[in-house]
Amino acid sequence: AGLFIRLGPLAVFLLAFAVAAREREQGVLGLALGTAPTRAGYFGAKLLSVIAVGIPILVAPLVLIGALSLTTVGGGADDAVRLVSWTLGAVTYIAILAAISMTACVASRSVQTACAVLLFSWVVLVLAALPAASAVASWRSPVPSFQQMKLVLADEAPAYWTPETGAEQIASILQRYGASREEDLQETINIRGAQLDVAERHAQAV
């Protein structure tokens, strides 16, 4: 998914550039954009062609991998709905990128200008906007560090086992079996196992 977000726009931009640049060099683009009826039809046809090529190349392999993982791992209905939602979002993402790239190619006066605009758009959208958004999100809602999480957990859920607790458990076990020393119960029970049983019962109760 990370590669799709970063390299997907570049792939779509290159597809649109290849379509528009070739026809601009042949003079077809100027003729198609000369009148309003042909302009709308040309733009729509080229937009659909970029989308039709981009979806099988960029979206279909990821959807296939997700579907195979669902069948092998045995995902539930929630996973299937999540996969369908991601597919719809990815198709919409490709369509928006195709519209942006085709608009840039059609509006540019030369092939070099179209190439520069598309590369600049990719740098701004992917290499600059994504890290900036991540930095702003981290600044607005910073993720607590490991030490902070340890302090929170220690405060809200203090550790059950301590040396004092262990001594109390052993004393309780000795009292239950009427023994005064751990050695007296070595042939009867496993002290450590009994302690683990008490700790597990406490964990289940919590």
Side-chain angles (χ1 to χ4, degrees):
L3 291 177
F4 172 76
I5 294 174
R6 288 171 175 79
L7 299 181
L10 182 61
V12 175
F13 289 170
L14 291 177
L15 285 173
F17 175 76
V19 171
R22 182 182 61 182
E23 297 196 350
R24 183 180 289 277
E25 291 178 350
Q26 295 174 352
V28 177
L29 183 61
L31 295 175
L33 299 179
T35 59
T38 56
R39 185 185 305 123
Y42 172 85
F43 185 85
K46 296 304 178 184
L47 177 62
L48 291 177
S49 65
V50 173
I51 295 174
V53 174
I55 289 176
I57 294 177
L58 299 173
V59 180
L62 297 178
V63 174
L64 181 60
I65 293 173
L68 289 176
S69 65
L70 286 179
T71 54
T72 55
V73 178
D78 294 339
D79 295 328
V81 171
R82 193 177 297 113
L83 178 61
V84 172
S85 301
W86 185 90
T87 304
L88 295 177
V91 171
T92 304
Y93 183 60
I94 294 297
I96 294 173
L97 292 174
I100 294 173
S101 57
M102 282 303 304
T103 302
C105 291
V106 170
S108 300
R109 294 183 176 273
S110 64
V111 176
Q112 293 78 8
T113 303
C115 180
V117 169
L118 292 177
L119 288 178
F120 178 76
S121 300
W122 178 69
V123 170
V124 171
L125 291 175
V126 177
L127 300 184
L130 290 179
S134 178
V136 171
S138 299
W139 173 69
R140 292 292 301 272
S141 301
V143 178
S145 64
F146 176 74
Q147 294 297 331
Q148 291 174 331
M149 290 299 299
K150 276 189 72 174
L151 292 175
V152 171
L153 290 174
D155 182 49
E156 296 184 358
Y160 171 67
W161 192 93
T162 60
E164 293 79 9
T165 305
E168 292 177 1
Q169 290 177 353
I170 293 176
S172 175
I173 294 171
L174 292 175
Q175 183 181 4
R176 185 190 311 167
Y177 288 94
S180 59
R181 299 181 308 168
E182 295 184 36
E183 290 78 6
D184 298 338
L185 298 177
Q186 287 183 352
E187 297 182 358
T188 306
I189 63 170
N190 187 327
I191 298 293
R192 302 305 176 198
Q195 283 184 282
L196 290 175
D197 180 68
V198 172
E200 186 176 353
R201 292 175 184 274
H202 174 77
Q204 291 178 354
V206 172

